Amino acid sequence: GAGVSQSPRYKVAKRGQDVALRCDPISGHVSLFWYQQALGQGPEFLTYFQNEAQLDKSGLPSDRFFAERPEGSVSTLKIQRTQQEDSAVYLCASSPPRLAADQPQHFGDGTRLSIL
Amino acid sequence: GQQLNQSPQSMFIQEGEDVSMNCTSSSIFNTWLWYKQDPGEGPVLLIALYKAGELTSNGRLTAQFGITRKDSFLNISASIPSDVGIYFCAGVDDKIIFGKGTRLHILP
């Protein structure tokens, strides 16, 4: 399809395991964002890429969280040694080629991560 | 950090009623966005506001960017069942800050 695609849609992991979440942005979109959405809350910013450059990672909650976008298209959010508080929906968004944070973002449907 | 106060948290209305919700901030934003999120899906952009005082419509939806750049409201006229969902405001500075959402319920 033409939208932002995230996989897997659901992920269940045991506490302490590592997980990797994938985002395929809209083709040609320069900017890519990751958000964490806890139950009953709005999305909270994690990190931002322009092409392959990670320009802002101020929202990553700990050094267990790592994101990459090596070729400027697909991005992976990795969480190491998962904890129960990591349980949330992880949303990816991309925005059109103009390099500005105020371009409207198009969201994927998210990966719902549950840590047992 | 920056926070947005979105109200009301929940609304229960009859089909056909008009709806009004708003968002306030202690700091200025250059852009306000309104999104709707359905269960199991990502937020979908409804309206983007780029200029203080701007009033923009999208079908039955109308949103305004406050003159002070610290607030915005969203109105929905003549609500229908598919309007049910969570509405988020978002302010844009160097990053996007989301409110906690207004949950719209339509009574049978």
Side-chain angles (χ1 to χ4, degrees):
Chain A
V4 177
S5 178
Q6 291 188 248
S7 61
R9 285 298 313 274
Y10 303 92
K11 177 69 179 177
V12 179
K14 291 183 179 178
R15 187 165 59 92
Q17 287 184 330
D18 298 347
V19 298
L21 312 179
R22 177 188 168 105
C23 173
D24 282 88
I26 293 173
S27 178
H29 278 195
V30 168
S31 300
L32 185 145
F33 306 81
W34 283 99
Y35 293 85
Q36 181 189 60
Q37 186 174 24
L39 189 64
Q41 303 293 315
E44 292 198 3
F45 171 82
L46 293 176
T47 187
Y48 162 53
F49 289 85
Q50 271 184 14
N51 296 305
E52 69 279 1
Q54 189 175 19
L55 298 189
D56 188 341
K57 53 182 180 179
S58 61
L60 296 176
S62 78
D63 58 7
R64 297 185 295 105
F65 286 70
F66 172 76
E68 59 183 5
R69 194 186 185 196
E71 297 178 358
S73 56
V74 171
S75 177
T76 303
L77 176 67
K78 297 179 179 177
I79 309 174
Q80 297 176 324
R81 306 181 302 282
T82 51
Q83 303 293 318
Q84 284 192 321
E85 62 263 27
D86 300 336
S87 296
V89 174
Y90 289 84
L91 294 165
C92 176
S94 68
S95 63
R98 190 164 79 87
L99 301 180
D102 65 348
Q103 284 294 295
Q105 298 175 5
H106 301 266
F107 282 83
D109 288 337
T111 293
R112 183 176 297 275
L113 176 64
S114 298
I115 305 299
L116 305 177
Chain B
Q2 293 171 315
Q3 287 192 341
L4 297 185
N5 297 309
Q6 195 170 346
S7 65
Q9 283 190 333
S10 293
M11 301 185 73
F12 292 82
I13 63 167
Q14 299 282 348
E15 183 178 349
E17 286 185 16
D18 296 342
V19 172
S20 185
M21 59 190 78
N22 68 76
C23 206
T24 60
S25 169
S26 57
S27 53
I28 288 171
F29 288 104
N30 295 317
T31 299
W32 283 91
L33 306 172
W34 284 92
Y35 286 86
K36 178 175 184 273
Q37 187 174 29
D38 292 329
E41 299 184 10
V44 174
L45 182 68
L46 300 174
I47 292 180
L49 301 159
Y50 298 105
K51 191 175 172 184
E54 179 182 358
L55 185 72
T56 297
S57 292
N58 178 8
R60 294 178 296 106
L61 278 59
T62 302
Q64 184 157 30
F65 189 154
I67 289 288
T68 64
R69 294 198 285 157
K70 292 183 178 181
D71 63 310
S72 177
F73 72 74
L74 175 70
N75 287 343
I76 305 172
S77 63
S79 58
I80 60 177
S82 61
D83 292 334
V84 167
I86 305 175
Y87 292 81
F88 290 102
C89 63
V92 183
D93 191 358
D94 58 340
K95 56 172 67 80
I96 292 182
I97 308 296
F98 282 82
K100 292 188 176 182
T102 293
R103 284 146 187 81
L104 180 62
H105 307 269
I106 295 185
L107 300 170

